[in-house]
Amino acid sequence: MSTNKVIKEVEVYCREHGIRFTDQRRMALEIIASSKKPLGAYDVLAEMGKEVENPKPTTVYRALDFLLEHAFIHKIESLNAFVVCHAGHSHEGSQFMVCDDCGKVEEVHLCHLPKDLKKKIDDTGFQLTRWNTEIHGTCNRCQP
Amino acid sequence: MSTNKVIKEVEVYCREHGIRFTDQRRMALEIIASSKKPLGAYDVLAEMGKEVENPKPTTVYRALDFLLEHAFIHKIESLNAFVVCHAGHSHEGSQFMVCDDCGKVEEVHLCHLPKDLKKKIDDTGFQLTRWNTEIHGTCNRCQP
DNA sequence: TTGAAACTGTTACAATATAACATTACATTC
DNA sequence: GAATGTAATGTTATATTGTAACAGTTTCAA
Ligand SMILES: [Zn+2]
Ligand SMILES: [Zn+2]
Ligand SMILES: [Zn+2]
Ligand SMILES: [Zn+2]
């Protein structure tokens, strides 16, 4: 999905939900959405630095927190890096295939927790709020 | 499983596989295995400091790398913290239930990737090396 | 129009992790 | 058992990632 399309959709979503989509937030989202690979917070910071004077980590992390909270982006925990959401709707679970060769990440997106996991969780009385699966390996483009 | 039992098993495993289970590695494993909650690298460092003079981060991270490599411990990526493996055998995938209230983590352990994920991965030709699921929420002891 | 809440600016710092290079211990082979 | 190569450790410094705290500003609605 094109960066413009992502921005447009988030714009609409925010307007409809009375959420403020400020310049900093838009800028951070644009940067992440235009990247082919996950970006670290300080990568985003560096990119921001090309458009505004000397931005600070706090600024970036605040924008990231906002974007995460509304699930416009996700954090790849094993990389400390961020990607734009490609599922098109808010979801409590995220799944990613991470290529350790080229560094690209693809969001898989299952709407529901797999049955066998769900069962184990229900059995223990655990109350789920969110879940995340990160699958590492080699993408098909990077194989011999 | 008791700390002693874990240590004994790893000892045997290492002897049988010609792997060196040195004092530092043993100490790090003991510290992690005796903890009720996941420990950060610097928590381990602090504990080590009670037994040896002024250990350094490098020392801890080396021990952790070793223990991770042989899957005696796992890293909870969303917490930057480490737990002892409770599955009893090496495995390419790990699953955890993380209680955001009390901080305790339980290893679920499915031997295989859930079918629906497996299918998506196979469809794209992705070659898996390892996978990790972290489920956040509230454990049954922490619920009202 | 004013008061509360959300957002931003700024400074400083905390927490997590690695690089680089010197030294020591260990196992293997001659 | 000396020579040798590899694995493990010691040491110093630094890189990377993420927050705390508090002051100032904007927004929106009562
Ligand atoms: Zn998503
Ligand atoms: Zn690849
Ligand atoms: Zn395990
Ligand atoms: Zn709990």
Side-chain angles (χ1 to χ4, degrees):
Chain A
M1 190 159 49
S2 82
T3 303
N4 277 346
K5 191 129 181 282
V6 169
I7 299 288
K8 283 269 158 46
E9 287 191 8
V10 168
E11 229 164 39
V12 170
Y13 180 95
C14 287
R15 198 162 42 234
E16 286 176 352
H17 288 75
I19 298 167
R20 285 161 67 184
F21 191 43
T22 63
D23 285 351
Q24 294 179 350
R25 293 167 176 178
R26 173 190 311 265
M27 201 183 309
L29 182 58
E30 268 172 4
I31 289 165
I32 291 168
S34 2
S35 172
K36 290 199 165 64
K37 299 180 186 179
L39 293 181
Y42 282 73
D43 297 330
V44 176
L45 183 62
E47 286 301 313
M48 266 197 184
K50 294 177 181 171
E51 304 191 38
V52 301
E53 185 65 19
N54 192 27
K56 303 292 191 300
T58 314
T59 302
V60 170
Y61 279 103
R62 280 170 179 160
L64 293 175
D65 284 348
F66 169 85
L67 297 171
L68 285 171
E69 189 184 348
H70 296 284
F72 302 139
I73 64 172
H74 302 301
K75 180 174 186 181
I76 313 289
E77 298 282 0
S78 55
L79 300 176
N80 295 318
F82 304 85
V83 293
V84 70
C85 176
H86 280 112
H89 64 286
S90 182
H91 47 99
E92 71 184 5
S94 304
Q95 304 83 46
F96 305 99
M97 293 185 297
V98 181
C99 177
D100 293 322
D101 248 61
C102 66
K104 288 188 183 159
V105 168
E106 189 166 337
E107 183 168 2
V108 181
H109 189 61
L110 307 174
C111 278
H112 302 292
L113 198 66
K115 259 214 316 278
D116 32 8
L117 267 179
K118 175 107 172 61
K119 178 161 181 357
K120 289 230 184 192
I121 287 164
D122 288 347
D123 286 352
T124 65
F126 190 89
Q127 183 108 34
L128 176 149
T129 56
R130 64 197 164 89
W131 60 287
N132 184 45
T133 297
E134 297 176 14
I135 300 162
H136 285 258
T138 313
C139 77
N140 69 333
R141 292 177 301 281
C142 287
Q143 286 167 34
Chain B
M1 189 157 51
S2 82
T3 304
N4 277 346
K5 189 126 181 286
V6 169
I7 299 288
K8 282 271 158 42
E9 286 191 6
V10 168
E11 229 164 39
V12 170
Y13 180 94
C14 287
R15 199 163 40 235
E16 285 176 353
H17 289 75
I19 297 168
R20 284 163 68 185
F21 191 42
T22 63
D23 285 352
Q24 294 181 350
R25 292 166 178 178
R26 174 190 312 263
M27 200 184 308
L29 181 58
E30 267 172 6
I31 289 165
I32 292 169
S34 3
S35 172
K36 290 199 166 65
K37 299 180 185 178
L39 292 181
Y42 281 74
D43 297 330
V44 176
L45 183 63
E47 285 302 312
M48 268 198 184
K50 295 177 181 171
E51 304 192 38
V52 300
E53 184 65 20
N54 193 27
K56 303 291 190 301
T58 313
T59 301
V60 170
Y61 279 103
R62 280 170 179 162
L64 293 175
D65 284 347
F66 169 85
L67 297 170
L68 285 171
E69 188 184 347
H70 296 284
F72 302 137
I73 64 171
H74 301 300
K75 181 173 186 182
I76 312 289
E77 298 282 1
S78 55
L79 301 176
N80 295 318
F82 303 86
V83 293
V84 70
C85 175
H86 280 113
H89 64 285
S90 181
H91 46 99
E92 72 184 5
S94 304
Q95 304 84 47
F96 306 98
M97 292 184 297
V98 181
C99 177
D100 293 322
D101 247 61
C102 66
K104 288 188 183 158
V105 168
E106 189 165 337
E107 183 167 3
V108 181
H109 189 60
L110 307 174
C111 278
H112 301 291
L113 199 67
K115 260 215 313 278
D116 32 9
L117 267 180
K118 176 104 174 63
K119 177 160 179 2
K120 289 230 184 192
I121 286 163
D122 288 347
D123 286 353
T124 65
F126 191 88
Q127 183 108 35
L128 176 150
T129 56
R130 63 197 165 88
W131 60 286
N132 184 45
T133 297
E134 296 176 16
I135 300 162
H136 284 258
T138 313
C139 78
N140 68 333
R141 292 176 302 281
C142 288
Q143 286 168 34

